[in-house]
Amino acid sequence: MQSNENLHQEYTLFGGDVFTNVYDGEKTIQMPASLKILGFSNSSNPAVPKRHENYVFRREVLRDLLAFLRKPNGDALFITGPTGSGKTSVVNEVCARLNWPVQQITLTNRFEFSELTGHFVLGAKKSGSGTEMMFQYGPLATAMKFGHVLILNELDLADAGELAGLNDVLEGRPLVLAENAGEIIVPHPMFRVIATANSCGNGDASGRYLGVQQQNLAFLDRFRFMEVGYQEASVEEQLLRKCVPSMKHLIAGMVRLAGEVRKLFADGRISITLSTRTLLRWAQIADDFRNADNPLEYGLTRALLVRAEPEEAKAIVSLCESVFGDAWSVQTKQTKA
């Protein structure tokens, strides 16, 4: 197992030009090469996330996330925002470019703190040897020992009492593994904790996100907060052009429709929204089935409408007819004729 001394040798400073596709409002900006960003030199670690070249960064989100990774000042980071806005993906894409390994877990209302620390398993230390009981580190223990980023997805679904087990760790204190003969893991200097959630930890008064629980104030006080909303229309258009270039003549309308659906969701008039993730899924399905009678409707149905209430689906289809005009209905009309 690699020692902390060797891990220290893997630190590196990347130039800011490692990040491309960075948008500030409606314009692409060039990250200065002189900007030094903390990361790892080793790109072969299997825990480093996969990099997606077409990913589009938002300047203000990238700025705050890089500032935290470089100098957390004893804080953890809490990223809040609506579903599908890119809370987790931006962390993974940044870490992919910095070769920063990630340990990731999605919490539920049945979450127990022991899931983070580890447990004993029956296995063999090497091929062909006999089996024996071995302690397997959980994501928290692994991240603390080797300097990884720990991502706690859907933090607000977990019980506040179980999450209280993180309080000492978030204060920078060692993790004691009583189950593993009292092993003490001192936090690696590159260890970071990032939580994502649809709420800010104070519960969900809107009732849109089932299972959200109010978190302990003392626990939340250990985080700095960052809000990630949906991409601006111009940025979403750039993303779709990069990922589905053959749909370029319809992309502006698709992004406009997404904005209209989000307004209805924000006003409480419908119970579903059209996230950036769903928008991309819609475009990709429509492109894959471009020979269907109505590719736009075919893709939207499978990306969103099937899980909508019938009346909500009708309202969204009406918006589509208004936004796209003949591009939405002409093929269906021809087929019926």
Side-chain angles (χ1 to χ4, degrees):
M1 190 168 289
Q2 199 170 15
S3 69
N4 280 350
E5 182 180 353
N6 290 331
L7 283 165
H8 281 234
Q9 298 172 8
E10 294 186 0
Y11 301 169
T12 190
L13 287 174
F14 292 86
D17 55 355
V18 71
F19 290 96
T20 57
N21 299 337
V22 181
Y23 285 82
D24 184 12
E26 297 185 358
K27 62 181 180 180
T28 309
I29 65 171
Q30 188 69 35
M31 295 283 283
S34 58
L35 179 63
K36 298 303 179 183
I37 303 167
L38 188 64
F40 283 88
S41 59
N42 179 17
S43 62
S44 64
N45 192 313
V48 174
K50 180 182 177 182
R51 174 174 176 162
H52 297 88
E53 297 298 337
N54 288 329
Y55 187 84
V56 174
F57 291 97
R58 283 169 279 183
R59 177 182 177 274
E60 70 280 3
V61 174
L62 182 60
R63 175 198 61 205
D64 290 351
L65 181 53
L66 289 176
F68 166 76
L69 289 174
R70 180 168 180 132
K71 192 178 179 184
N73 293 323
D75 293 333
L77 177 64
F78 193 121
I79 304 178
T80 183
T83 179
S85 58
K87 300 181 293 295
T88 303
S89 62
V90 69
V91 179
N92 280 314
E93 292 296 334
V94 167
C95 289
R97 286 155 177 80
L98 301 179
N99 300 328
W100 206 317
V102 168
Q103 299 296 321
Q104 185 169 316
I105 183 173
T106 297
L107 308 186
T108 69
N109 59 357
R110 296 184 179 182
F111 162 76
E112 295 181 358
F113 183 70
S114 59
E115 296 176 43
L116 292 176
T117 56
H119 57 276
F120 278 97
V121 297
L122 185 64
K125 288 188 175 180
K126 60 181 180 179
S127 179
S129 65
T131 59
E132 57 182 291
M133 293 298 293
M134 301 180 297
F135 189 81
Q136 184 176 70
Y137 291 127
L140 170 62
T142 301
M144 288 187 69
K145 192 175 185 71
F146 301 111
H148 298 184
V149 173
L150 174 65
I151 303 179
L152 303 171
N153 283 319
E154 310 295 351
L155 183 83
D156 53 4
L157 296 184
D159 178 74
E162 290 292 337
L163 288 175
L166 283 167
N167 284 358
D168 285 346
V169 169
L170 298 182
E171 287 285 343
R173 298 188 181 95
L175 174 67
V176 180
L177 299 176
E179 305 91 336
N180 195 30
E183 179 184 2
I184 298 175
I185 299 179
V186 177
H188 188 287
M190 296 285 276
F191 169 58
R192 305 286 186 269
V193 178
I194 298 178
T196 71
N198 297 127
S199 75
C200 291
N202 296 321
D204 176 34
S206 70
R208 295 171 187 152
Y209 299 104
L210 298 179
V212 168
Q213 303 188 53
Q214 185 170 356
Q215 299 302 314
N216 185 281
L217 181 61
F219 175 70
L220 295 176
D221 195 48
R222 290 164 165 83
F223 289 86
R224 67 173 70 175
F225 283 76
M226 186 172 89
E227 187 171 8
V228 174
Y230 290 122
Q231 302 266 25
E232 294 182 12
S234 59
V235 176
E236 287 189 323
E237 288 183 20
Q238 291 290 341
L239 173 64
L240 293 184
R241 287 194 187 99
K242 290 178 180 294
C243 296
V244 197
S246 61
M247 300 285 291
K248 60 183 179 180
H249 60 295
L250 296 169
I251 285 174
M254 299 176 79
V255 172
R256 179 184 165 195
L257 178 77
E260 294 297 328
V261 171
R262 292 166 192 167
K263 288 178 184 177
L264 293 176
F265 176 74
D267 293 341
R269 297 169 63 184
I270 60 175
S271 60
I272 60 172
T273 187
L274 210 166
S275 66
T276 302
R277 178 170 53 216
T278 304
L279 178 62
L280 180 58
R281 181 184 301 128
W282 174 24
Q284 290 170 330
I285 295 175
D287 182 51
D288 290 341
F289 290 87
R290 51 187 172 275
N291 293 324
D293 290 341
N294 186 340
L296 284 172
E297 184 175 31
Y298 187 95
L300 186 61
T301 297
R302 284 147 183 81
L304 179 70
L305 298 183
V306 167
R307 61 185 172 93
E309 294 294 331
E311 291 303 316
E312 293 177 344
K314 288 180 181 179
I316 295 173
V317 169
S318 294
L319 281 174
C320 290
E321 293 171 345
S322 174
V323 169
F324 291 103
D326 289 344
W328 176 268
S329 59
V330 67
Q331 294 180 48
T332 303
K333 289 179 180 178
Q334 290 174 349
T335 301
K336 290 180 178 179

